[in-house]
Amino acid sequence: MSENRVAEYEQLGPIAVITMSHPPVNSLGHGLRSAIVALIDQALADPQISAIVLTGGEKIFSAGADIREFDAQKQASAPTLHDVIEVIEASGKPIVAAIAGACLGGGLELAMGCHFRVARSDASLGLPEVKLGLLPGAGGTQRAPRLLGIERALNMIVSGEPERARQFAGTALLDEVVDGSVLDAAVAFACEVVKGQLVPKRARDIKIDAPRAEPLLQFARTAVAAASRSFPAPTQCVEAVAHAVGKRFDEGLRLEREIFMGLMATPESNALRHIFAAERAASKLQDVPADTPLRDIRRVGVIGAGTMGGGITMAFVDAGVPVVLLETRQEALDRGIEIIRGNYAASMKKGKLSQTQFDERLSLIEPTLDYACLADVDLVIEAVFEEMNVKRAVFGRLDETLKSGAILASNTSALDLNEIASFTKRPQDVIGLHFFSPANVMRLLEIVRGTETAPDVLATCMHLSKRIRKTAVVAGVCEGFIGNRMIARYAEASNLLMMQGASPQQIDGALQRFGLAMGPFRMSDLAGLDISTAARKRKAAVDPASQERIVADVLCEAGRLGQKTGSGWYRYEAGKRDAIPDPSVDAIIEQFRGARGIAARKISDQEVIERCIYALVNEGARILEEGIAARASDIDVVYLSGYGFPRHRGGPMLYADTVGLANVVRALKRFAAEPGAQSWWEPAPLLVKLVEAGRSFN
Ligand code: T1G
């Protein structure tokens, strides 16, 4: 077997086996593309070889084009993926793809260029380019309709969702679906081809017979346009498939390439590719070796069966991790269990959970009032009342009870984790695991690293986050960590705008048109005005200077706590969630302004966006320069997966890069120069430094 860096060559009788071996996912970078062409040429030149098997081995075929090459334009350097596929199609010796594991994007396009395809039944086949704001740019939109028919190809390309190979059995996409070694099966298949039993065929030669093509495409255009307002790629995918129906193959290929290059240049694709890299970068722990031994987490304890404790419990049992759920009072424990049971029953009713899964999940929960039941758990997550004395009591008890080596985590959303760690004799085992409500649904998990948190504790929790399907970001210790610290600044900015003349509905509307899932006042009504008011009062008790009466206090005192009381910033009809602007709130705001001598001014939607989003960005820059976040892209991940920031903008920090940091700084300086402006409008030193250096966050 001859080997070179990223692919191997082996001769098995009349069959040449070319194995891609470019870990971790056989991404089709320039090196691997060149190696495939070189080894195909070697097989073609060898008279002993009658057929070729192209494979990635028994674990993965290929995850497609190398996403990291896109910005370096290396994906366009010869041999391009198109070139490789042309070499395969033009081969005088039949080429059989042997597919196991992930066969995605350009990987599947490569396989579709082969004359035959053999796949293991559990292999994952898909064209996920649309999730990167692109479309299959190496013939996928032209070959898939020929191998699968238009409807199935459209679904695969527009959804970007992979399917198991067994779903394609009997289609022209797969010639054979096997359960054992796909390599053995493919070599045997190739031998059959050599014996002349099977005639090699090219996907490009298949005629598309689609009498219902036009109505189907028209339906797809309408449905996709309605579902993807912020992203151009899905509708372009439909157009590219339409070219497959109406045009010669090479013309369709040319048009596909044109559309692909156009999409590559869109800010939306740039944002989605940024998110792909950012989510993976966030899991990389700075100054913690990748091979740090992990602690074994087999059983978890959760303290507190309230909203957060119940959600956290569900997140773990959903991943098959047993949980000991502790409360101090039986009725609170019973209520917590009942809520969990109700949530699972609702999922079962929707068909998302089977009775067996329902029973399994509940059997993984051990309710208790006794700390002794926590003696052998490997990790405890405290989710009790956000009051330091309560944390002190709980962590004191945990310190006495838990076995050596157990991890003690707090779900606190703002309190000082280092102080919490000081309540124990094992601060090195203490960490913050800040879940977002509802904890069984929200993907974001802020892992708060205390000054003394041991590296292996951090590495264990990062690894665990993947097991419970969370997107984790490491935060240092400060009030509000990353997300809540920034959202506090954003809320202040929105409150100032409201005081200066913009109505809550104008501010919410502008930010929702910007792409946020919900504006700040609508969000406040959803969360409950009493929650944020109580947090402000707790802070004022410690820091009187931060005590300033705001309109929300007036609304709270009037019993307008938000959606749950039928009114807050908005009015709500009984049983409905529609936020209805309420003239009585406008009157309260007007009165509040009048009492402070504030004359309302006209404020543009653009100013609303700039003040609210730049306030976020400026606080993010401070978080970055203080080392609370390791990367700007980590901050983007927090906002995208925890705060509904629009994915087509890539996160607040990427948005600032897109706007241009110099423009952000110029606007902040303008805001800071206004009479009586808050000091936090001053541009963060890091922002100024980046502008002076002509650099960006990402
Ligand atoms: N290019 C470069 N690196 C990639 C990659 C790719 N396509 N896919 C994954 N990686 C890296 C990833 O960054 C991480 O690196 C490591 O592999 C493990 O990934 C012309 C233009 C395959 C299902 O969109 O869906 O083909 O952080 O953590 O959870 O039409 O990776 O360790 O340094 O995700 O086991 C289309 C994207 C490309 C597939 C594995 N293909 N990848 O999931 O591991 S565009 C995709 C995935 C294209 C053509 C077009 C997943 C996975 P690091 P991971 P995983």
Side-chain angles (χ1 to χ4, degrees):
M1 179 193 296
S2 75
E3 296 197 9
N4 63 20
R5 215 160 40 80
V6 290
E8 295 156 9
Y9 185 97
E10 182 181 9
Q11 178 177 349
L12 298 177
I15 311 296
V17 178
I18 296 172
T19 304
M20 297 180 278
S21 53
H22 178 42
V25 295
N26 285 335
S27 52
L28 292 159
H30 182 260
L32 179 53
R33 298 196 304 267
S34 307
I36 293 170
V37 169
L39 294 177
I40 289 175
D41 288 346
Q42 179 179 336
L44 293 176
D46 183 342
Q48 291 184 3
I49 297 298
S50 306
I52 300 165
V53 168
L54 175 62
T55 182
E58 300 287 356
K59 287 198 171 54
I60 183 166
F61 186 76
S62 166
D66 189 328
I67 297 170
R68 289 170 288 203
E69 274 192 357
F70 290 171
D71 296 327
Q73 293 308 312
K74 277 178 74 178
Q75 45 88 23
S77 50
T80 65
L81 193 48
H82 273 282
D83 298 336
V84 178
I85 295 171
E86 270 175 28
V87 164
I88 290 172
E89 281 195 325
S91 163
K93 298 177 182 177
I95 299 182
V96 181
I99 303 169
C103 178
L104 302 171
L108 183 55
E109 292 175 296
L110 185 69
M112 288 194 285
C114 294
H115 305 98
F116 299 99
R117 285 160 297 280
V118 175
R120 212 172 58 210
S121 59
D122 62 354
S124 169
L125 280 65
L127 294 170
E129 289 88 339
V130 70
K131 294 181 178 179
L132 297 171
L134 302 168
L135 55 65
T141 65
Q142 308 302 305
R143 289 188 179 88
R146 285 170 167 79
L147 292 168
L148 287 171
I150 303 173
E151 193 163 4
R152 188 115 191 241
L154 270 174
N155 287 338
M156 177 185 259
I157 293 166
V158 171
S159 73
E161 289 304 320
E163 288 183 76
R164 294 288 175 207
R166 62 176 73 91
Q167 309 297 329
F168 298 106
T171 70
L173 179 63
L174 295 179
D175 298 280
E176 198 171 53
V177 177
V178 299
D179 286 322
S181 157
V182 71
L183 197 47
D184 294 350
V187 170
F189 189 94
C191 291
E192 288 305 301
V193 174
V194 167
K195 286 179 202 156
Q197 312 296 321
L198 295 153
V199 178
K201 59 195 185 322
R202 302 186 311 172
R204 60 179 297 147
D205 299 331
I206 298 172
K207 288 278 168 284
I208 294 182
D209 172 23
R212 295 179 47 253
E214 204 34 54
L216 184 69
L217 289 165
Q218 204 40 47
F219 173 77
R221 286 189 182 98
T222 312
V224 167
S228 56
R229 294 186 194 292
S230 309
F231 293 97
T235 44
Q236 293 298 315
C237 286
V238 178
E239 292 319 314
V241 170
H243 292 323
V245 178
K247 298 196 169 51
R248 286 185 313 98
F249 183 84
D250 287 324
E251 177 61 0
L253 216 50
R254 185 186 66 76
L255 291 165
E256 173 198 85
R257 191 84 196 133
E258 234 173 62
I259 298 173
F260 177 81
M261 295 314 289
L263 288 171
M264 179 74 89
T266 59
E268 292 83 359
S269 180
N270 180 48
L272 291 173
R273 299 195 317 260
H274 166 73
I275 295 168
F276 179 88
E279 287 180 342
R280 286 156 182 81
S283 65
K284 302 286 178 298
L285 298 174
Q286 295 194 318
D287 71 27
V288 176
D291 58 355
T292 300
L294 305 177
R295 297 190 192 184
D296 193 8
I297 305 293
R298 290 183 311 280
R299 288 181 80 227
V300 168
V302 173
I303 315 285
T307 306
M308 289 310 294
I312 293 167
T313 299
M314 291 178 70
F316 279 93
V317 299
D318 287 348
V321 180
V323 172
V324 177
L325 178 58
L326 180 135
E327 253 294 352
T328 49
R329 290 175 296 109
Q330 190 61 50
E331 60 274 25
L333 184 58
D334 295 346
R335 189 168 56 247
I337 293 292
E338 265 327 292
I339 290 171
I340 293 172
R341 182 190 299 276
N343 287 340
Y344 283 138
S347 298
M348 201 162 54
K349 204 167 167 199
K350 290 177 202 157
K352 290 182 184 167
L353 209 61
S354 67
Q355 182 66 54
T356 310
Q357 289 168 321
F358 174 89
D359 297 339
E360 269 167 7
R361 279 170 169 71
L362 288 176
S363 70
L364 287 173
I365 303 172
E366 180 193 336
T368 183
L369 301 175
D370 181 358
Y371 269 83
C373 295
L374 298 171
D376 70 343
V377 299
D378 308 298
L379 158 73
V380 167
I381 300 163
E382 162 273 315
V384 299
F385 191 60
E386 279 289 88
E387 216 286 307
M388 201 51 105
N389 287 330
V390 179
K391 308 290 187 189
R392 180 196 308 276
V394 167
F395 276 80
R397 283 296 298 274
L398 291 175
D399 200 22
E400 291 158 7
T401 310
L402 295 185
K403 67 184 179 186
S404 162
I407 294 175
L408 291 73
S410 171
N411 173 55
T412 182
S413 59
L415 298 180
D416 184 334
L417 186 88
N418 292 323
E419 186 176 352
I420 292 173
S422 71
F423 301 149
T424 74
K425 290 187 285 303
R426 41 177 137 177
Q428 72 283 0
D429 295 336
V430 177
I431 194 165
L433 292 179
H434 177 215
F435 290 81
F436 285 72
S437 186
N440 55 309
V441 174
M442 292 297 284
R443 284 172 50 219
L444 179 61
L445 172 64
E446 281 182 326
I447 298 181
V448 185
R449 181 180 194 173
T451 314
E452 298 188 57
T453 300
D456 71 317
V457 170
L458 183 62
T460 299
C461 290
M462 180 55 79
H463 184 264
L464 182 65
S465 68
K466 287 191 174 145
R467 219 168 126 194
I468 59 173
R469 302 172 61 79
K470 295 297 178 190
T471 299
V473 175
V474 176
V477 177
C478 70
E479 183 174 350
F481 312 130
I482 298 173
N484 284 350
R485 172 170 161 181
M486 288 169 66
I487 201 84
R489 199 59 86 207
Y490 165 87
E492 280 182 82
S494 59
N495 190 60
L496 285 171
L497 282 162
M498 183 263 294
M499 286 309 299
Q500 292 171 16
S503 68
Q505 49 273 28
Q506 180 195 354
I507 295 165
D508 283 353
L511 288 164
Q512 282 158 207
R513 282 186 293 278
F514 173 79
L516 283 167
M518 200 177 274
F521 295 96
R522 181 78 188 77
M523 192 194 281
S524 177
D525 270 3
L526 188 63
L529 276 70
D530 49 333
I531 306 291
S532 49
T533 300
R536 272 202 319 278
K537 287 207 164 67
R538 274 202 300 274
K539 190 176 168 195
V542 176
D543 168 18
S546 68
Q547 166 68 357
E548 183 201 352
R549 190 166 166 70
I550 60 176
V551 174
D553 298 326
V554 179
L555 295 177
C556 269
E557 286 151 16
R560 298 181 69 111
L561 305 185
Q563 203 168 285
K564 61 188 174 187
T565 56
S567 70
W569 292 103
Y570 296 94
R571 190 168 55 77
Y572 301 85
E573 302 290 347
K576 293 216 176 125
R577 304 164 62 101
D578 307 306
I580 304 165
D582 186 341
S584 58
V585 171
D586 299 334
I588 290 170
I589 295 170
E590 195 43 52
Q591 193 180 12
F592 202 87
R593 288 186 194 126
R596 286 158 180 75
I598 298 171
R601 66 182 175 90
K602 189 154 177 45
I603 294 173
S604 70
D605 283 2
Q606 179 56 25
E607 182 180 350
V608 170
I609 302 295
E610 287 184 356
R611 283 187 182 266
C612 290
I613 305 299
Y614 294 176
L616 269 187
V617 171
N618 205 24
E619 198 61 30
R622 291 198 177 94
I623 284 171
L624 211 43
E625 61 196 10
E626 292 168 24
I628 297 294
R631 309 170 190 86
S633 61
D634 283 4
I635 294 171
D636 286 335
V637 171
V638 166
Y639 260 79
L640 290 157
S641 45
Y643 292 81
F645 201 88
R647 289 177 68 82
H648 67 277
R649 298 192 189 275
M653 310 309 264
L654 185 78
Y655 175 70
D657 285 346
T658 311
V659 165
L661 297 190
N663 295 322
V664 175
V665 168
R666 195 174 302 118
L668 288 168
K669 283 181 174 170
R670 198 170 63 244
F671 301 151
E674 289 165 353
Q678 286 68 17
S679 60
W680 47 261
W681 283 117
E682 281 300 329
L686 173 64
L687 251 177
V688 174
K689 262 195 296 236
L690 288 172
V691 170
E692 283 163 0
R695 288 176 49 216
S696 60
F697 281 125
N698 291 291

